[in-house]
Amino acid sequence: MPYLDTYTTPLTAKTAAHLLRRATFGPTQQEITNFTGLSATDAVQQLINNVNKTIDAPPPVDLDPGPTYGQPFLKLPYMSNREFQMGYFVRYWWVGLMCEQNGYPSVLEKLAAFWQNHFVVAHSIIGEYRFLYMYLDILRKGCLGSFKDLTIEISKCAGMLTYQNGNENEKNHPNENYARELQELFTVGQKDFAGNANYTENDVKAASKVLTGWQRIAKWDGVTPPTAVVFTPSRHDTTNKTFSAKYNNVTIQGRTGDTGGEIELRELTDMLLAHPESPKFICRKLYRWYVNSNVTQEIENNVIIPLANFFASPQNNFQIQPVLIKLLTSQIFFDIKNIGSMIKAPSEYLIGALRFFNQPLPDVTTQPAGYRKYTDFVHWGMVGMQLSFLDQPAVFGSVPYYQIGYSKNWINGVTLMNRGAHMDELIYPNRVIHPGYILGIDLMAWVKSLQPNFADVEGSPAIDCEVVYESFVKNLFAVELGQAQKDYLIDTIMMEGMNRSYWKGYWNAYRKNQKDLGALYICTRLMRYLTRMSEYHIF
């Protein structure tokens, strides 16, 4: 099998949908149509190019009625009494970007979410909402660039310094938290694929000395400083730091002065990325995020190692974009075994449903109350399904992204119940987002769009129930249903054992009188069942 060779077959609706489900949080039907017929190379390049159209999103606004309602708040005087609430508005803002994508599907928010689950910082720990925003801004703007630069910027950002206690790391009193996670979780990984340790405890101690002297600025008033971070030379350990044979016994020379911390941090990052396991560790995580959580020895040999060599090559020098393009345009990505191979995370499940069923995000400038209700529904819906972006339960990230079983961990009795409950809100519309907008699928409007000359009952024959079924399942599943499943869905679920021709009577009754709800009950019953099938939970 060619593995990383470019997939050259023009995209069908199935493969276009696969790409969009994996590269974004889920496509609309129109996006699937737009990408059908493109080459994988052109499709992925479009998803890359669209990043430039979405990256400079307007900043988050205050969503609480009051003097600053609907206004950007990041540069307003610090609001200590509303600190945690404003952090939620930063999180709602990102949820909104995930849902909307400003009409241009791109890799941006899905890839930023990968890095946010990689370089974890938790809102509930750091508190300060401006630190949270600046951290997210680094991830969004650096997600396609240099992994080396991204690691350096994250290492000295106020959010990470707070979360990993780097703010307390000073000479003679080192704090090893970040030095450990930088190696174990962010760069080289704790162990190689065979289970051998990639670094030593002394390496953690040496790295912690390199990282001394960085401090976040305490909560401030007025305009936000460029980074909210300072380097204090007097707090920095200026001794030489020698690492183990795992890093070829490299010694980082101790530096003094205002630039000492920056120089040593860059040399530390260069050393970490020169470790042969670093590019493999990152590529393995990207593969599990985008392709399949199961990395076999075959995949390690034929995908991970070649991709890692490409990532670390002098030509690419740890640039993320070329690696992502190679992965998303590869034969292995489009291999039939990898389509429908993972269980949807709550983000792919809930945001994907809202986008697929065309539930628009209200404009925050004209409908801030509606925007808040919508993003509140999505945010807390995902939390109830055990995904909390910007507030993961541990530095490892969300459990299904690192623990044995991977995406299967999204499914348990509680999360299945919550998935069904949130899907029911779309199937039985009753949540008012703002006047004139009730969240949910208008099933009768959908079926009406399939019926030629809807009002002419006598002159225009009613559409068959098969037409309704085929429209409802179009692009709904990542995998094909067999004929026996189709027959069961129409005959047993949709028609409840009645002859299929009875559908026309129900439908014509509705065409004559829109208060006759027999057809609605049939359609609701079918859609509810479809979205509870195991096939709907995989992508």
Side-chain angles (χ1 to χ4, degrees):
M1 170 173 196
Y3 299 100
L4 288 174
D5 286 359
T6 301
Y7 183 78
T8 56
T9 304
L11 298 184
T12 62
K14 180 177 181 177
T15 52
H18 172 63
L19 172 62
L20 291 165
R21 290 188 190 107
R22 295 294 182 86
T24 76
F25 286 107
T28 64
Q29 290 275 25
Q30 188 59 53
E31 288 166 357
I32 295 171
T33 298
N34 294 344
F35 275 68
T36 299
L38 297 179
S39 68
T41 299
D42 288 344
V44 171
Q45 194 59 55
Q46 189 175 138
L47 293 172
I48 297 285
N49 293 343
N50 283 346
V51 169
N52 294 326
K53 299 174 182 177
T54 59
I55 197 161
D56 292 319
V61 302
D62 187 351
L63 297 175
D64 271 344
T68 58
Y69 185 45
Q71 296 179 29
F73 57 81
L74 293 170
K75 294 186 178 182
L76 295 177
Y78 179 70
M79 292 176 270
S80 58
N81 61 325
R82 302 180 61 207
E83 177 181 81
F84 215 65
Q85 189 63 38
M86 304 313 266
Y88 275 111
F89 294 160
V90 172
R91 295 166 71 177
Y92 287 5
W93 171 77
W94 195 25
V95 165
L97 295 177
M98 294 175 183
C99 294
E100 182 183 47
Q101 298 193 62
N102 295 319
Y104 300 102
S106 84
V107 299
L108 176 57
E109 309 307 341
K110 185 73 170 282
L111 183 56
F114 168 81
W115 291 120
Q116 199 281 303
N117 192 73
H118 179 78
F119 292 112
V120 170
V121 164
H123 171 214
S124 60
I125 301 299
I126 70 170
E128 227 292 10
Y129 53 87
R130 287 172 292 193
F131 291 172
L132 189 68
Y133 175 81
M134 287 186 286
Y135 154 75
L136 179 55
D137 190 55
I138 290 170
L139 296 176
R140 292 184 72 248
K141 291 181 177 175
C143 67
L144 278 170
S146 164
F147 176 66
K148 185 179 298 185
D149 290 346
L150 183 60
T151 302
I152 290 168
E153 291 305 310
I154 285 294
S155 296
K156 59 182 181 179
C157 85
M160 186 63 79
L161 286 171
T162 304
Y163 182 61
Q164 284 293 334
N165 307 111
N167 191 61
E168 303 166 13
N169 188 22
E170 59 180 318
K171 68 178 181 181
N172 301 324
H173 301 286
N175 185 299
E176 298 176 3
N177 284 4
Y178 186 68
R180 184 179 306 282
E181 309 309 356
L182 179 61
Q183 293 173 82
E184 178 180 347
L185 301 177
F186 301 162
T187 54
V188 303
Q190 186 180 37
K191 297 179 180 180
D192 64 17
F193 193 70
N196 303 304
N198 286 334
Y199 60 90
T200 69
E201 281 300 305
N202 285 334
D203 292 328
V204 173
K205 296 180 186 300
S208 70
K209 294 177 181 179
V210 171
L211 296 164
T212 53
W214 292 99
Q215 290 178 281
R216 57 170 169 74
I217 298 173
K219 298 168 183 176
W220 63 86
D221 293 327
V223 177
T224 305
T227 63
V229 169
V230 295
F231 175 74
T232 306
S234 63
R235 292 169 56 92
H236 181 59
D237 188 324
T238 58
T239 62
N240 292 345
K241 297 89 178 175
T242 300
F243 292 80
S244 74
K246 300 287 186 180
Y247 296 107
N248 296 319
N249 302 305
V250 164
T251 294
I252 293 179
Q253 180 184 341
R255 300 321 205 283
T256 60
D258 293 342
T259 60
E262 181 75 22
I263 294 171
E264 289 192 43
L265 173 58
R266 289 187 175 276
E267 290 186 2
L268 174 64
T269 305
D270 286 341
M271 182 198 76
L272 295 174
L273 299 193
H275 194 298
E277 291 304 315
S278 286
K280 287 186 276 186
F281 179 67
I282 299 304
C283 289
R284 211 174 285 126
K285 291 190 73 171
L286 285 167
Y287 180 88
R288 284 180 167 136
W289 184 266
Y290 285 107
V291 184
N292 195 313
S293 59
N294 186 25
V295 178
T296 62
Q297 188 66 59
E298 176 192 8
I299 294 300
E300 181 73 10
N301 294 341
N302 295 289
V303 179
I304 306 304
I305 292 174
L307 192 63
N309 291 338
F310 178 74
F311 188 29
S313 67
Q315 172 192 356
N316 290 314
N317 192 25
F318 291 94
Q319 290 292 317
I320 301 159
Q321 179 172 317
V323 171
L324 187 66
I325 291 174
K326 181 172 279 292
L327 188 61
L328 295 182
T329 59
S330 67
Q331 295 275 0
I332 194 67
F333 178 81
F334 288 101
D335 190 288
I336 191 67
K337 296 191 299 293
N338 290 322
I339 298 177
S341 64
M342 295 195 289
I343 294 173
K344 294 175 183 175
S347 50
E348 287 117 9
Y349 181 83
L350 188 50
I351 295 172
L354 291 167
R355 300 196 82 252
F356 185 83
F357 292 117
N358 294 311
Q359 304 300 300
L361 175 73
D363 188 319
V364 69
T365 58
T366 59
Q367 292 285 353
Y371 176 93
R372 179 174 182 174
K373 288 181 180 179
Y374 187 105
T375 53
D376 183 271
F377 171 76
V378 179
H379 170 81
W380 291 109
M382 292 192 295
V383 170
M385 300 173 204
Q386 299 179 1
L387 174 62
S388 190
F389 284 128
L390 293 171
D391 205 24
Q392 284 89 341
V395 68
F396 298 97
S398 296
V399 169
Y401 291 133
Y402 71 86
Q403 203 168 78
I404 291 173
Y406 290 92
S407 67
K408 293 179 182 178
N409 290 302
W410 291 123
I411 300 298
N412 57 52
V414 172
T415 58
L416 269 180
M417 180 182 68
N418 285 332
R419 285 179 179 227
H422 281 76
M423 194 56 62
D424 280 350
E425 293 224 30
L426 300 185
I427 297 170
Y428 303 97
N430 60 20
R431 182 180 289 265
V432 178
I433 299 298
H434 60 70
Y437 180 11
I438 298 176
L439 191 71
I441 310 165
D442 189 338
L443 291 171
M444 288 298 92
W446 187 341
V447 180
K448 282 174 68 175
S449 72
L450 306 174
Q451 174 66 58
N453 303 313
F454 172 77
D456 186 6
V457 179
E458 301 302 326
S460 181
I463 55 174
D464 295 329
C465 59
E466 292 88 347
V467 173
V468 178
Y469 166 82
E470 291 295 341
S471 182
F472 280 13
V473 300
K474 180 183 177 183
N475 298 321
L476 186 66
F477 302 123
V479 295
E480 298 290 336
L481 300 183
Q483 187 59 49
Q485 285 177 293
K486 294 179 183 180
D487 290 341
Y488 177 81
L489 288 165
I490 295 173
D491 296 328
T492 303
I493 301 304
M494 190 175 182
M495 299 309 301
E496 291 190 318
M498 294 183 290
N499 189 285
R500 294 184 182 188
S501 63
Y502 281 37
W503 155 259
K504 293 185 177 182
Y506 284 107
W507 179 236
N508 278 336
Y510 177 80
R511 293 171 73 188
K512 295 174 182 176
N513 177 12
Q514 275 78 72
K515 292 183 180 180
D516 191 309
L517 301 180
L520 175 61
Y521 295 149
I522 292 173
C523 292
T524 299
R525 188 165 60 240
L526 175 62
M527 184 58 74
R528 189 172 190 268
Y529 192 92
L530 291 172
T531 55
R532 276 167 165 73
M533 291 174 65
S534 59
E535 287 85 353
Y536 185 71
H537 291 270
I538 61 177
F539 76 124

